[in-house]
Amino acid sequence: MSGSRVLVVDDEPQIVRGLKIILRSAGYEVESAETKSHALALLASRPPDVLVLDLVLPDGGGVEVCEEVRGWSRLPILVLSAVGDEREKVRALDAGADDYITKPFGTDELLARLRAVLRRSLQAGGNPSVEIGDITIDLADRRVSRGEEEVHLTPIEFELLRVLAQHLGRLVTHRQLLREVWGPEYGRETHYLRVHVAHIRAKLEDDASRPQLLVTEPGVGYRLRDGAN
């Protein structure tokens, strides 16, 4: 995805400088903003292909930027999070961020996550079937197969897998999963998720004790890996 335009929003000059060097070396075009207001102005006047967004800004938070952007755009958003920003990180993901990376971060991880959110954005199109290795998830017929064999999932297990498959490769928070599967009044019952995720892993993973397909992001949610992450 070389040549894509990236807007970096961060008020730390060293971070911005480093990101510009990394991204330009990888073939991206880069603009930057230090505040929420400047970022929103650039997003409106020169929409980038992807937004790299710090959670803490002088005139607001990254969560507010996510909420405003999601009001009119499906622009891919990669959040930059400091180690102590767990709650804000979850809020940003619930507000529509596509993924996050924790400061300090490595160059390879940053570029891989950036490629992933851009790839998913390009591929988004309501594909009724998702294939991951030898596993096929048919969203239209509500069927799951592994190789030539059909895998029986309960309705709740399939709904969880459906939500994760529709956000393939993307981190989905506990709150989002609970609300989409059980209803809008749910959001804190994470023990529901643990039980059903364990059942899905037992049916789909080679080794459920060491999941490679449906992975946990501790304290945040779950991710269905797309084979490229």
Side-chain angles (χ1 to χ4, degrees):
M1 275 139 245
S2 179
S4 297
R5 292 182 55 250
V6 182
L7 175 60
V8 173
V9 183
D10 198 307
D11 66 335
E12 296 183 46
Q14 289 183 325
I15 295 289
V16 174
R17 193 179 306 116
L19 284 169
K20 284 182 174 179
I21 292 171
I22 292 168
L23 295 173
R24 285 171 177 165
S25 295
Y28 294 97
E29 296 179 27
V30 187
E31 283 190 286
S32 64
E34 296 181 358
T35 64
K36 170 189 169 185
S37 58
H38 187 198
L40 292 173
L42 286 176
L43 287 165
S45 62
R46 278 175 50 82
D49 297 304
V50 61
L51 174 62
V52 176
L53 174 67
D54 188 24
L55 285 180
V56 181
L57 301 170
D59 58 343
V63 172
E64 297 168 15
V65 176
C66 288
E67 290 172 342
E68 294 203 32
V69 170
R70 283 294 171 257
W72 53 272
S73 172
R74 292 306 306 165
L75 173 74
I77 302 174
L78 178 63
V79 160
L80 298 180
S81 166
V83 174
D85 287 339
E86 194 75 20
R87 288 186 180 179
E88 287 298 292
K89 179 169 40 181
V90 173
R91 285 185 61 215
L93 291 163
D94 281 334
D98 293 278
D99 207 346
Y100 75 92
I101 187 168
T102 300
K103 297 177 180 179
F105 48 81
T107 298
D108 289 344
E109 182 184 7
L110 170 68
L111 294 175
R113 291 196 182 277
L114 198 59
R115 287 193 299 269
V117 296
L118 282 165
R119 182 177 63 250
R120 291 195 293 272
S121 176
L122 291 172
Q123 291 175 346
N127 192 332
S129 182
V130 175
E131 295 186 6
I132 313 165
D134 65 344
I135 295 172
T136 301
I137 305 166
D138 190 323
L139 301 175
D141 290 341
R142 299 178 63 84
R143 295 162 64 95
V144 179
S145 58
R146 188 174 186 183
E148 300 297 321
E149 296 184 11
E150 185 170 347
V151 178
H152 174 72
L153 298 181
T154 67
I156 289 290
E157 290 167 4
F158 183 84
E159 281 301 299
L160 278 172
L161 191 62
R162 175 189 64 78
V163 175
L164 289 162
Q166 288 177 330
H167 297 84
L168 186 62
R170 174 181 166 186
L171 174 57
V172 185
T173 65
H174 297 140
R175 184 181 181 188
Q176 184 177 352
L177 283 167
L178 286 164
R179 289 187 169 190
E180 290 203 33
V181 176
W182 277 272
E185 67 274 21
Y186 291 82
R188 299 180 179 274
E189 296 81 358
T190 55
H191 56 288
Y192 290 6
L193 297 174
R194 286 195 297 271
V195 170
H196 290 289
V197 165
H199 291 165
I200 295 171
R201 284 172 171 161
K203 297 174 182 181
L204 297 181
E205 297 277 4
D206 292 329
D207 181 353
S209 66
R210 296 181 179 180
Q212 301 297 311
L213 175 72
L214 204 174
V215 297
T216 301
E217 297 281 356
V220 181
Y222 297 93
R223 186 193 307 267
L224 190 64
R225 299 182 67 179
D226 63 2
N229 285 344

